[in-house]
Amino acid sequence: MAIQLVGVIGAGTMGNGIAHVFARCGFRVVLCDVEQQFLERGLDTIAKNLDREVAKNKIPAGDKVSTLGRITAVVDRAKLGDCDLVIEAATEKFEIKAEIFRDLDRMVRPEVILASNTSSISITKIGALTGRADKVIGMHFFNPVPVMKLVEVIRGLATSQATFETVRELAVKLEKTPVEVNDAPGFVSNRVLMPLLNEAMYAVMEGVATAEAVDEVFKLGMAHRMGPLTLADFIGLDVCLDIMRVLQDGLGDPKYRPCPLLIKMVDAGWLGRKSGRGFYTYP
């Protein structure tokens, strides 16, 4: 089946980035969220990111107008019914994703692939909620989506080879590099990354070093472009906590226990860059 119309659920950081790259590569996109204000914010972000691409001569000026023209923003999820592929990019909580996938399964044609941008939750578990587990797959983009080249393509236990090949080819059309990963908590990226960030948080909590010092060690000693605590703030501390809990529950190893400081900061509403305060403060 030729994929021409793509649905994206969630207009936040990841969802608007996914809509951006699909539309820029010539696909028509239906971007869906629960409130108009979220859609407007997402479209504004896409417009600003396209302006940056124009300024850097990555795309011609006319591509901004044509890209935005291929995106339709809706609050009514039923308008995703005609899509050839739908990608869920909602909050990293299983209950929310479960409701979305059950609804999509009833709504879209039987042959349509349903993908999740989840960064940690089981694709097998999500697929089992639908009547098309063979057509459910993980398509994990990385932030910022218009810039980062990697897409983790995650097979659930029932995901078919045809579904995998379709999504892998689609990622290439988006000028991304697909990497095949089997279904396990955190997949590869977050199974390795999140314990690193979590341990950096323990170092701060235990007074081993300040957040600034921890980040300097990684930037200067390991040639990381961004220190682990700056990265945690960029990702969102609430997202980091959700992923650590998925790892802890899914793998059952105490080494994945979320740092108590992380839990306190999320409880306080200190979520990182998006809230203005995390391990650092932001304007």
Side-chain angles (χ1 to χ4, degrees):
M1 178 184 68
I3 294 173
Q4 298 177 327
L5 181 62
V6 176
V8 179
I9 295 184
T13 300
M14 298 306 296
N16 72 60
I18 293 167
H20 176 149
V21 297
F22 270 100
R24 188 182 63 191
C25 292
F27 294 88
R28 291 182 295 120
V29 177
V30 179
L31 179 61
C32 181
D33 212 318
V34 294
E35 292 186 23
Q36 187 64 34
Q37 63 174 327
F38 300 153
L39 292 167
E40 290 172 0
R41 191 182 309 155
L43 290 171
D44 183 60
T45 298
I46 294 170
K48 288 177 180 176
N49 287 337
L50 287 166
D51 283 336
R52 291 192 186 96
E53 291 177 328
V54 171
K56 293 178 180 179
N57 294 317
K58 291 186 176 180
I59 61 171
D63 281 9
K64 175 186 175 181
V65 175
S66 59
T67 296
L68 290 172
R70 284 190 283 270
I71 301 174
T72 302
V74 302
V75 293
D76 182 3
R77 199 183 291 171
K79 293 184 178 178
L80 297 167
D82 292 330
C83 290
D84 304 314
L85 168 82
V86 181
I87 302 174
E88 168 272 319
T91 304
E92 193 69 358
K93 293 185 182 298
F94 177 74
E95 297 77 13
I96 293 174
K97 294 183 187 298
E99 186 275 327
I100 290 171
F101 273 82
R102 288 191 186 103
D103 200 23
L104 288 174
D105 190 40
R106 293 190 295 267
M107 183 184 304
V108 302
R109 303 185 310 277
E111 68 271 20
V112 170
I113 292 171
L114 302 179
S116 177
N117 183 59
T118 180
S119 54
S120 61
I121 294 171
S122 169
I123 298 301
T124 300
K125 191 174 180 181
I126 292 172
L129 300 170
T130 74
R132 65 181 81 202
D134 61 317
K135 295 181 177 63
V136 175
I137 194 166
M139 199 174 187
H140 181 206
F141 292 83
F142 288 74
N143 186 29
V145 180
V147 176
M148 302 295 279
K149 292 294 185 184
L150 175 63
V151 176
E152 276 186 314
V153 182
I154 303 109
R155 292 177 181 265
L157 186 62
T159 304
S160 71
Q161 182 65 22
T163 296
F164 171 77
E165 290 175 358
T166 296
V167 169
R168 179 181 58 191
E169 291 168 7
L170 188 60
V172 171
K173 289 179 182 177
L174 297 177
E175 301 175 358
K176 304 297 184 185
T177 301
V179 175
E180 179 180 357
V181 178
N182 288 321
D183 194 17
F187 315 130
V188 171
S189 56
N190 283 319
R191 182 169 179 168
V192 176
L193 174 63
M194 285 299 158
L196 168 63
L197 305 191
N198 198 54
E199 197 62 31
M201 296 170 195
Y202 270 110
V204 173
M205 184 185 77
E206 294 169 0
V208 177
T210 64
E212 292 84 355
V214 171
D215 280 352
E216 282 297 289
V217 166
F218 277 84
K219 288 191 290 182
L220 300 179
M222 289 79 170
H224 289 201
R225 292 181 63 186
M226 185 183 295
L229 299 171
T230 301
L231 178 56
D233 275 358
F234 183 69
I235 293 168
L237 300 185
D238 53 335
V239 176
C240 293
L241 180 56
D242 286 341
I243 296 171
M244 286 304 302
R245 284 173 168 159
V246 168
L247 292 171
Q248 184 182 31
D249 292 345
L251 297 170
D253 192 314
K255 72 180 179 182
Y256 298 111
R257 181 173 69 96
C259 176
L261 177 59
L262 171 62
I263 296 171
K264 286 182 180 180
M265 292 175 75
V266 172
D267 286 345
W270 298 2
L271 308 182
R273 185 179 292 273
K274 62 186 173 185
S275 71
R277 184 167 186 176
F279 285 94
Y280 300 92
T281 57
Y282 303 89

